[in-house]
Amino acid sequence: MPIVEKSLVEVDRNDSVKLDGIDVSGDWSAFLRSRVVADLDPCILDWVKDQPLGSTITRCWQCGTCTASCCLHTDYGMAEFNPRYFLYLAKIGYATELRRYTNTIWRCLSCNKCVERCPKGVKVEEVVHAIGRYLRVTGAAPESPADRFDRAFTENLLDRGILDEVALFRTYERLEGRRTPLREMLRMGVRLFWSGRLRTGPFANRTRGWNRMREVLRARLAEDERRALSTASPVRAGAGGTR
Amino acid sequence: MIAARGVADPTPAYYPGCSLDGLGNPYEVSARQVLAHLGLKLERIVDYNCCGATEVKNLSHDVSLALPSRNLALARARDHHEVVAACSGCVYSLARANEAIADEPTRMRINALLEEGGAPTYDGGASVQHLLEFIYRRAGPERVRAAVRRPLTGLTVAPYYGCLYTRPRCYTGVGKLAGTDDPIHPHFLDELLVACGADVARDFRAKTICCGGGHALSDLDVSVAFSASILAEARRAGADLVATICPLGEINIENNLDRVRAAYGAEVVRPVAYFTQLMSLAFGASLREARLADNFSRPDRLLRSRGFT
């Protein structure tokens, strides 16, 4: 399914033009180069739209309201974080271009401004996470810090039913190979202890009667992960290449 | 499906969420004081579980719906029609479950999970709202004003609402249902703070920007930059401190303060306090009773210098 992009502007050829003694002759309107994209991978859209998180992707009209609203794009100024473009690339299946953003897509902060403002009811934040997940389960993207955090968070809360914030902080620091200095940890620990908030480890809050629920939800979590892996075909070598 | 607000539920259910029983405990303590002063009653959901926030959905759709649904089912089992949560993240995921289980196949799948796990099933009917909206709607600025014993005179507060209190309206219903806040220009917190005698930084433009809390640990530079921009905007707008309505926002900003100080200068830093702590102070609680010394940004120091005890 080749998609052809060509110059949409009439050729504006100017020969032998000199401005202040500098030769500026040439094609003045050639800012859109003709090119052909071959081997687009339709599996990407099929997979994303079959996910509960990604199901609204096909409603997208590419108006760009999400990108204009995006706090990362607009407030923080991360120009390459462009949710409209991510949805576009996933829809046409342009895998090589999408892979250039493997270290960008995971940075969505879930502020939901895009979902709030989308005129077509696309749950952009969820779709962007589904696209990120596609890249990860197909091996196109390594596990990102956000993936590791999501996993640590989920495992932590499934354990007792209630999140152990202090343990989550320590687990995640270990995963990233970071270490808060011991003095800092002690200072924090003492403050939490005196204000009755050091509810971690043996003193952590727990949900009574959680054991059965934990096993049920853990099983569903593993099943969903398996299904995500088995339904996503690996990104084809050379898919989405240009010529 | 978003159940209509204001169904006659004299004592709605209260969903604390993990944070209010942990690091955000000053929020819960002060919220109880505020509710007692205003004569409002909530019944705490016993044996609640974590709502899954925004993280779990990235791994499993069904688990991310079963977690909040179990809490809503517990509320319905006690015959509640309304659930009040103090954390914006909890409001988001509880309300998201409500929308998702309106779809019958999804509801049946989630209920099968709940049943298998030994929990009551959930068929909808518990509308979710934020504590701020609950206080505003049930008491309102008038009753708050009448309860004030020590007005917060001379204190300029930046009202910070953050992301998920209003957004997205397809889940929270804010701006969609009668009597809810304005999703673009929220004002409930402004009005309650004014009723407490505080000056509100009128021109504070960071009311609903992201605090970076979603990646508080996993994308440090970004979360520090967002925390700093909220504080810098509070400074520009002439605020002495920032009032928050979400424990994630509060803890994220406070956790980043040292890095903000190092990267953007000490003059940017402002203390951060839960809005219920400020309200409780205005209702006559001491700094200690309102647990203002427990916040890592130490708003108690600023307040003491302004003559509050």
Side-chain angles (χ1 to χ4, degrees), chain A residues 212-232:
Chain A
R212 257 172 77 193
M213 192 56 92
R214 174 177 53 226
E215 297 320 313
V216 171
L217 294 184
R218 270 188 184 159
R220 179 54 58 92
L221 190 68
E223 194 187 319
D224 281 357
E225 191 76 343
R226 259 200 313 276
R227 194 178 308 139
L229 277 168
S230 66
T231 50

Side-chain angles (χ1 to χ4, degrees), chain A residues 52-53 71-72 75-76 78 106-117 123 125-126 129 133 136 145-147 149-151 153-154 157-158 161-166 168-169 172-173 176 178 184 187-188 191-192 195-197 199 205-210 212-213 216-218 220-221 224-225, chain B residues 18-19 21-23 25-26 46-50 52-63 66-67 70 92 96 99 109 113-119 163-164 166-171 183-184 208-210 212 214-215 217-222 225-226 251 255 258 291 293-296 298:
Chain A
L53 280 193
C71 69
L72 265 177
D75 296 335
Y76 186 78
M78 190 185 286
W106 65 269
R107 291 178 193 266
C108 166
L109 288 157
S110 302
C111 83
N112 273 282
K113 238 180 231 177
C114 49
V115 183
E116 168 71 23
R117 295 187 183 170
K123 288 168 185 161
E125 180 257 351
E126 299 185 0
H129 278 96
R133 192 177 196 199
R136 184 165 53 80
D147 295 328
F149 185 77
D150 290 346
R151 183 167 302 283
F153 184 97
T154 306
L157 77 89
L158 284 183
I162 294 181
L163 200 68
D164 178 342
E165 296 158 305
V166 179
L168 174 62
F169 177 76
Y172 185 72
E173 288 230 307
E176 296 296 334
R178 279 204 303 256
E184 182 72 10
R187 199 173 62 98
M188 205 74 142
R191 285 202 64 185
L192 291 178
S195 55
R197 288 181 288 168
R199 310 212 53 135
N205 298 311
R206 57 186 70 228
T207 307
R208 259 187 314 160
W210 183 251
R212 257 172 77 193
M213 192 56 92
V216 171
L217 294 184
R218 270 188 184 159
R220 179 54 58 92
L221 190 68
D224 281 357
E225 191 76 343
Chain B
C18 312
S19 203
D21 270 339
L23 295 183
N25 193 244
V46 180
D47 283 320
Y48 71 91
N49 60 270
C50 171
T54 57
E55 281 84 357
V56 177
K57 73 174 194 324
N58 303 332
L59 298 176
S60 163
H61 186 62
D62 285 1
V63 175
L67 289 167
R70 180 179 175 278
Y92 162 83
R96 179 172 175 271
E99 199 244 22
R109 241 178 28 248
L113 280 176
L114 292 178
E115 218 158 20
E116 208 185 325
C163 307
L164 301 174
T166 55
R167 290 198 295 266
R169 79 180 83 179
C170 58
Y171 293 153
I184 311 288
T208 65
I209 75 163
C210 179
H215 288 168
L217 301 176
S218 45
D219 204 355
L220 273 179
D221 291 346
V222 169
F226 276 108
I251 292 161
N255 185 41
D258 286 341
R291 302 277 298 272
D294 285 355
N295 302 28
F296 294 115
R298 297 303 296 266

Side-chain angles (χ1 to χ4, degrees), chain B residues 26-48:
Chain B
Y27 191 10
E28 163 147 322
V29 172
S30 55
R32 278 192 197 172
Q33 294 160 354
V34 169
L35 294 176
H37 272 284
L38 295 171
L40 297 174
K41 282 204 176 71
L42 291 174
E43 190 189 46
R44 191 181 164 98
I45 299 177
V46 180
D47 283 320
Y48 71 91

Side-chain angles (χ1 to χ4, degrees), chain A:
Chain A
M1 186 179 60
I3 289 201
V4 182
E5 279 186 27
K6 52 186 170 188
S7 174
L8 302 175
V9 182
E10 198 177 305
V11 174
D12 185 6
R13 187 86 204 163
N14 292 280
D15 294 321
S16 324
V17 183
K18 277 192 178 175
L19 277 178
D20 294 338
I22 299 166
D23 182 14
V24 291
S25 54
D27 192 349
W28 280 22
S29 60
F31 46 83
L32 275 179
R33 286 237 182 87
S34 225
R35 70 193 167 125
V36 177
V37 182
D39 296 331
L40 296 174
D41 186 355
C43 300
I44 302 181
L45 177 63
D46 290 344
W47 189 88
V48 170
K49 75 168 193 275
D50 283 347
Q51 303 299 306
L53 280 193
S55 60
T56 53
I57 187 174
T58 46
R59 297 182 58 80
C60 176
W61 263 350
Q62 289 286 303
C63 71
T65 302
C66 47
T67 299
S69 310
C70 178
C71 69
L72 265 177
H73 184 91
T74 309
D75 296 335
Y76 186 78
M78 190 185 286
E80 69 273 24
F81 192 93
N82 183 345
R84 178 203 59 78
Y85 192 45
F86 301 153
L87 265 67
Y88 169 72
L89 294 175
K91 282 173 96 170
I92 66 167
Y94 198 166
T96 38
E97 178 68 3
L98 200 53
R99 286 167 82 152
R100 287 182 50 213
Y101 297 94
T102 48
N103 197 28
T104 306
I105 291 183
W106 65 269
R107 291 178 193 266
C108 166
L109 288 157
S110 302
C111 83
N112 273 282
K113 238 180 231 177
C114 49
V115 183
E116 168 71 23
R117 295 187 183 170
C118 176
K120 286 286 288 162
V122 179
K123 288 168 185 161
V124 186
E125 180 257 351
E126 299 185 0
V127 176
V128 165
H129 278 96
I131 297 171
R133 192 177 196 199
Y134 177 84
L135 291 174
R136 184 165 53 80
V137 297
T138 52
E143 205 178 38
S144 69
D147 295 328
R148 284 191 285 275
F149 185 77
D150 290 346
R151 183 167 302 283
F153 184 97
T154 306
E155 279 167 8
N156 183 313
L157 77 89
L158 284 183
D159 196 24
R160 296 192 186 88
I162 294 181
L163 200 68
D164 178 342
E165 296 158 305
V166 179
L168 174 62
F169 177 76
R170 296 188 57 202
T171 310
Y172 185 72
E173 288 230 307
R174 205 164 42 241
L175 286 175
E176 296 296 334
R178 279 204 303 256
R179 265 180 88 174
T180 301
L182 189 66
R183 249 185 60 198
E184 182 72 10
M185 285 298 281
L186 281 176
R187 199 173 62 98
M188 205 74 142
V190 168
R191 285 202 64 185
L192 291 178
F193 177 77
W194 284 114
S195 55
R197 288 181 288 168
L198 198 62
R199 310 212 53 135
T200 181
F203 310 108
N205 298 311
R206 57 186 70 228
T207 307
R208 259 187 314 160
W210 183 251
N211 289 356
R212 257 172 77 193
M213 192 56 92
R214 174 177 53 226
E215 297 320 313
V216 171
L217 294 184
R218 270 188 184 159
R220 179 54 58 92
L221 190 68
E223 194 187 319
D224 281 357
E225 191 76 343
R226 259 200 313 276
R227 194 178 308 139
L229 277 168
S230 66
T231 50
S233 56
V235 176
R236 276 184 285 141
T242 52
R243 66 177 155 83

Side-chain angles (χ1 to χ4, degrees), chain B residues 142-173:
Chain B
E142 285 312 311
R143 264 167 72 188
V144 169
R145 197 168 289 121
V148 170
R149 286 195 220 146
R150 181 173 51 177
L152 306 175
T153 318
L155 203 64
T156 309
V157 185
Y160 176 63
Y161 295 81
C163 307
L164 301 174
Y165 159 60
T166 55
R167 290 198 295 266
R169 79 180 83 179
C170 58
Y171 293 153
T172 63

